[in-house]
Amino acid sequence: MRIFERLEEYRYEQVVFCHDPSTGLKAIICIHNTTLGPALGGCRMYPYATEEEAVNDALRLARGMTYKAAASGLNLGGGKSVIIGDPHKDKSEALFRSFGRYIETLAGRYITAEDVGTTTEDMVNIQVETSFVVGVDKTYGGSGDPSPFTALGVFQGMKACAEDKFGSASLEGKTVAVQGLGHVGYYLCELLHKDGANLVVTDVRKENVERVVGEFGARAVEPDGIMSVECDVFAPCALGGILDDESIPKLRCEVIAGAANNVLLEPRHGESLAERGILYAPDYVINAGGLINVADELEGYNETRSTRRVMGIYESVKSIIAISKRDGSPTQTAADTLALERIDEMNSMVRLHTGHPYGQLKRQRETL
Ligand code: NAD
């Protein structure tokens, strides 16, 4: 694979290959952009079929994190790491400690976190070797389960969309169809119920459906029926890639706002939604509550501050809607524009020489 050509294409800063034969560690750390701050992004463990596949995943995910952090107003850059291996067979304390040592060598340019295939326990092992890790267990000073914060962010983003579409941010009396009642979906239903929304829900797991029907008076439908339910808002909180040529014509909603990652099968499907007058809240912005919460650990975790920042997703989504109208672009393109505009703005700040290094040099000379 022509790796430097790939790095050139999207201006990646650094890729680090980590190899420790004694622990079996084969990992790739990818730092996309650190204009706004250190690159933060989870560590994924997956039995990639080829090394090329692992590199591609690290590159793709790291770049996504640059946009996510920038659009969320975080002073963080984008990065991601992947460990090549089977999370059910290949994990060991030594493997994650070894990986922690590699992260330490980057001196804070990359901060890791939990992701698909890794757990808070793995982060605790990494933390033995480096402080550049977030998302450790609450008992180790971490921020705990991110799902309630992700749900709060989705709720706020949904309110911003409702204000634009229906003239009021309140979801009282609105019908919201929720697909997936797992960690995020459940908390989202709780917030919607408190706001007075009518819930139509589905999940492939019966017990998840029964809980939400019982606790929040939701109406249940079969999993294959949720996308054609007549509703004000459709909230995808299960799987990615669900908005495609086949499903979009079936939709009977005015807003799409949910937690699931990569819900558009292809970028052009965002255009199809816009053409149909459906307002789509871009996934990586509306589901950033978990990231915002975990990033708060870097300043010494404070739940009140974190909650306030997650509530800011309301403003982020409003800015995206405004950019979308300004540029006549679909909202997912407007989200990228918001991120790039913020990075450019910070990049173009006047470069003042603070005098510090020169002063140091002078003092050193004086003491000679
Ligand atoms: P989860 O696994 O706890 O919940 C997903 C739920 O979807 C499960 O209950 C599952 O049974 C259900 N489901 C699976 N296939 C389905 C189908 N075909 N129809 C209906 N339901 C189906 O996951 P989660 O943590 O709640 O995350 C939900 C989505 O949000 C995922 O796409 C995830 O990547 C994304 N996300 C989550 C977080 C977070 O903080 N947990 C943060 C950002 C993004």
Side-chain angles (χ1 to χ4, degrees), residues 146-147 150 180-184 203-205 208 223 237-239 259-261 287:
S147 310
T150 303
L181 306 168
H183 288 95
V184 180
D203 196 293
V204 287
R205 296 181 63 168
N208 288 0
C237 297
L239 312 160
N261 278 313
N287 74 15

Side-chain angles (χ1 to χ4, degrees), residues 325-355:
K325 287 180 182 170
R326 179 194 75 188
D327 297 352
S329 61
T331 46
Q332 88 270 16
T333 309
D336 292 355
T337 305
L338 176 75
L340 291 174
E341 282 181 357
R342 181 158 176 253
I343 292 171
D344 283 349
E345 210 180 333
M346 298 307 147
N347 241 340
S348 62
M349 264 192 297
V350 61
R351 289 179 205 285
L352 296 174
H353 192 276
T354 57

Side-chain angles (χ1 to χ4, degrees), residues 44 68 116 145-151 154 178-187 201-209 221-224 226 236-240 242 258-263 283-284 286-291:
R44 184 164 286 197
K68 186 164 185 165
V116 176
D145 180 9
S147 310
F149 294 90
T150 303
V154 171
V178 184
Q179 180 187 45
L181 306 168
H183 288 95
V184 180
Y186 172 79
Y187 289 116
V201 300
T202 199
D203 196 293
V204 287
R205 296 181 63 168
K206 214 168 150 233
E207 65 274 23
N208 288 0
V209 176
V221 295
E222 288 302 316
D224 59 5
I226 194 78
C237 297
L239 312 160
I242 54 153
N261 278 313
N262 307 316
V263 274
D283 49 6
Y284 73 78
I286 195 168
N287 74 15
L291 171 70

